Every structure is written in structure tokens, then in C-alpha cells.
Amino acid sequence: MGFDTSDDACVYRLRDNLAVIQTVDFFPPMVDDPYAFGQIAAANALSDIYAMGAKPSLAMNLLCYPTCLAQETVQAILAGGYEKVKEAGAVIAGGHTIQDPEPKYGLCVSGFADPAKILRNSGAQPGDLLILTKPLGIGVMTTAAKADLLTAAEFSPAIESMSMLNRAACECMLRFPVHACTDVTGFGLLGHALEMGLGSGASIRLFSDALPLLPKARELAEMGILPAGAYENMRYMQGKVTYRGKVARVLRDLIADPQTSGGLLIALSAAPARKLCERLANEVTPWARIVGEVVDHGENTVIVE
Ligand code: CO
Ligand code: CO
């Protein structure tokens, strides 16, 4: 697959019916607890494989840490990553560690799939509804936690959401005729919707009043607690998005909020989409929502209402 439509992972065809899907992701901690950080970094790296509708098989650790970091801390990061890779049904086959003043952790992940069954972010069709499987507001919440504006209990839904694998959501969606899928990460819902729209040659309408939001995220965003990435996303999206009607400032901000280990954004025809969303909500996550629809390409690629 080429680079033109910004797919979540690279796909290399080995045989007619077999391709390897590969992705890599690593970053510095956004939480204090090293075990949770390991879990989140691994769930985030594994997510790009699920976004392609595939199953991860092999993972390699990528770890950077300063020599002053306690051995238990390093072990806790790796244990968190190991736990998530195990939960994904994949194996850690090795890795590489270097010394770095700032700790960073993540994985290189490979999966294998029939190329005909791989989902791309570019197959959305006018008439499709869009489902999002995790709540927004991760960037706002981690920024607030860094500034000590949240208690541990208030921050825990964000940690829970980030460390949750997209595995069950992926397995559930694969039972439905899905047209396109991606995962919502650094570019926020807005940026990933833009990629889906551009790749599909269609426009995406997002329903700002239907967005699932982490508890406290709206209140914090209203106070102006936004990560730098949200402003970067909004700057990048200038001219590429139309706001129609009265879309509250805070929702414009949250729609651009960069997500770490965010949910899947799934496009499929309206009737099966309603069924899938119900099934996801019953069996996988209470956060699954229909957040938008795909329409013929019009005045702009993304329309927020
Ligand atoms: Co992705
Ligand atoms: Co990625």
C-alpha cells in the first residue's frame, strides 16, 4: 500500500493471500505509574494493527531510559507492555534498549492477514455512519494530570481508556461489512476524520453533540486546559473544516484533542452501523457512539455540526 492515504500500518504482500502488516510507535510517559505507562504504550502500538482489521502476532520492545532510572521502574514498564501483548495474543520476540535522558517506550508490531481482508482508512462511502469506540479528552486529561489538577480517581478513567486494547472492538467490527477503519490518535478525531474523508473522496460530517467525552474533560477544556497538540491540529485543519451552526468552542477544542491510544473510527452503511454500535455498547464498551456520517464530497472535507 502506498503512502498517499496515510494508512495506520504498512502492508507487504508475501503471497496472493498473505501479507505482513507492520507498525511502530513509541513515546515518553504521559502517566506517573511505570506499569500503566507500559500498558498504554503497548496498547497504542498494537492499535494500528487492529485499525487495519488484523491480528497482531509479533512485537519487539523499543525502550529508552536514563541510567538514573531505578531497575524496578524499567521492569515495571516492560511488565506493563508484556501484559498487553499477552492480552493481544501476540508474543514479544525481542527488542532494543538505549540510554536516553528522557524515558520512552513502545513496540514494533507485526501481524499477518489476507490482503483482501485488510481494512483501510480510505474506503468510506456516502451514506455510511461513523462509529467511535473510545471517549475523547485524553490529551486534556493528561495535560491536567501533569499540572496536578486531577485526583488519581478523577484521572483513572483516562488511564483505563488508554490501556484498553482495541482488540475486542476490532473482533466485533469484523463480523460486520465495514468499509473503512482507522484509530483516533495524535491528530484527534478531526484530523483522522480528515484523512478518512480525503482518502475516500468524500466529506465527513461530525455530530459535535454526540461525542463520547471522558468525565471531567469538558470542564477542563472549558478552563482552557489543552495540550499544545490540540492547537497544532486546529492550525493544520484551518480551511479544511467547516463549522456549521453553533458548535461550542469547547467541543471544537475536544474534537481536535490529540488522543493517546484512542478508539477505532469505523465507517459502514447505516443499518449495519446501528447494529454494530449497539453490539459494541452491549459487549465491548459503554463508550461506543455514532459520531458522524459520510456524505458526497461538498464544500469541505470535514463538516462539524
Ligand atoms: Co493509527
Ligand atoms: Co501509529
Side-chain angles (χ1 to χ4, degrees):
M1 286 183 189
F3 295 104
D4 47 325
T5 59
S6 322
D7 281 297
D8 292 290
C10 80
V11 178
Y12 183 87
R13 190 190 299 266
L14 298 169
R15 295 197 300 265
D16 276 354
N17 61 352
L18 186 67
V20 58
I21 304 167
Q22 202 160 49
T23 182
V24 61
D25 243 309
F26 67 120
F27 44 56
M30 73 301 295
V31 294
D32 288 334
D33 175 12
Y35 183 77
F37 169 52
Q39 287 189 310
I40 292 165
N44 178 73
L46 290 157
S47 175
D48 278 326
I49 302 285
Y50 294 125
M52 306 290 285
K55 190 184 155 325
S57 298
L58 282 175
M60 298 271 213
N61 280 323
L62 288 149
L63 179 64
C64 310
Y65 67 96
T67 39
C68 62
L69 205 66
Q71 203 54 40
E72 304 90 77
T73 308
V74 175
Q75 278 162 2
I77 295 171
L78 291 172
Y82 171 81
E83 196 52 50
K84 282 291 150 183
V85 171
K86 201 174 107 188
E87 188 188 326
V91 291
I92 291 186
H96 189 68
T97 301
I98 62 164
Q99 272 161 29
D100 188 321
E102 186 179 32
K104 296 172 194 80
Y105 175 64
L107 300 172
C108 174
V109 189
S110 306
F112 301 90
D114 180 345
K117 291 183 182 152
I118 288 169
L119 292 174
R120 307 189 60 172
N121 64 352
S122 54
Q125 297 169 16
D128 285 358
L129 293 178
L130 290 172
I131 298 172
L132 179 64
T133 66
K134 284 190 188 183
L136 300 175
I138 291 290
V140 168
M141 296 289 282
T142 50
T143 304
K146 274 183 201 148
D148 280 330
L149 294 169
L150 289 172
T151 64
E154 286 169 337
F155 190 42
S156 72
I159 295 185
E160 226 169 84
S161 179
M162 285 188 281
S163 44
M164 180 180 170
L165 286 183
N166 281 327
R167 177 183 181 161
C170 173
E171 287 171 356
C172 189
M173 97 174 152
L174 290 177
R175 297 196 292 254
F176 289 78
V178 170
H179 292 152
C181 181
T182 189
D183 57 344
V184 174
T185 51
F187 301 134
L189 177 60
L190 200 56
H192 292 282
L194 175 76
E195 285 182 341
M196 189 176 272
L198 287 175
S200 308
S203 286
I204 306 282
R205 283 176 60 204
L206 295 173
F207 312 144
S208 63
D209 55 0
L211 303 175
L213 301 175
L214 282 164
K216 297 285 284 182
R218 187 178 179 129
E219 184 188 322
L220 291 160
E222 256 159 8
M223 288 161 57
I225 314 294
L226 277 185
Y231 293 103
E232 274 164 43
N233 288 341
M234 281 186 267
R235 231 184 341 266
Y236 177 76
M237 291 295 294
Q238 243 166 37
K240 302 181 178 83
V241 54
T242 300
Y243 297 93
R244 204 180 271 159
K246 269 213 159 85
V247 180
R249 174 81 256 165
V250 64
L251 293 175
R252 294 184 191 209
D253 292 345
L254 283 161
I255 228 168
D257 184 45
Q259 307 297 289
T260 299
S261 190
L264 297 180
L265 182 67
I266 309 165
L268 70 170
S269 308
R274 287 197 188 89
K275 277 200 199 104
L276 170 57
C277 193
E278 208 182 291
R279 191 134 173 197
L280 283 166
N282 287 334
E283 294 172 16
V284 178
T285 163
W287 292 107
R289 299 278 191 287
I290 289 169
V291 296
E293 67 175 348
V294 184
V295 294
D296 286 321
H297 197 277
E299 49 174 319
N300 224 334
T301 306
V302 182
I303 302 134
V304 182
E305 313 188 326

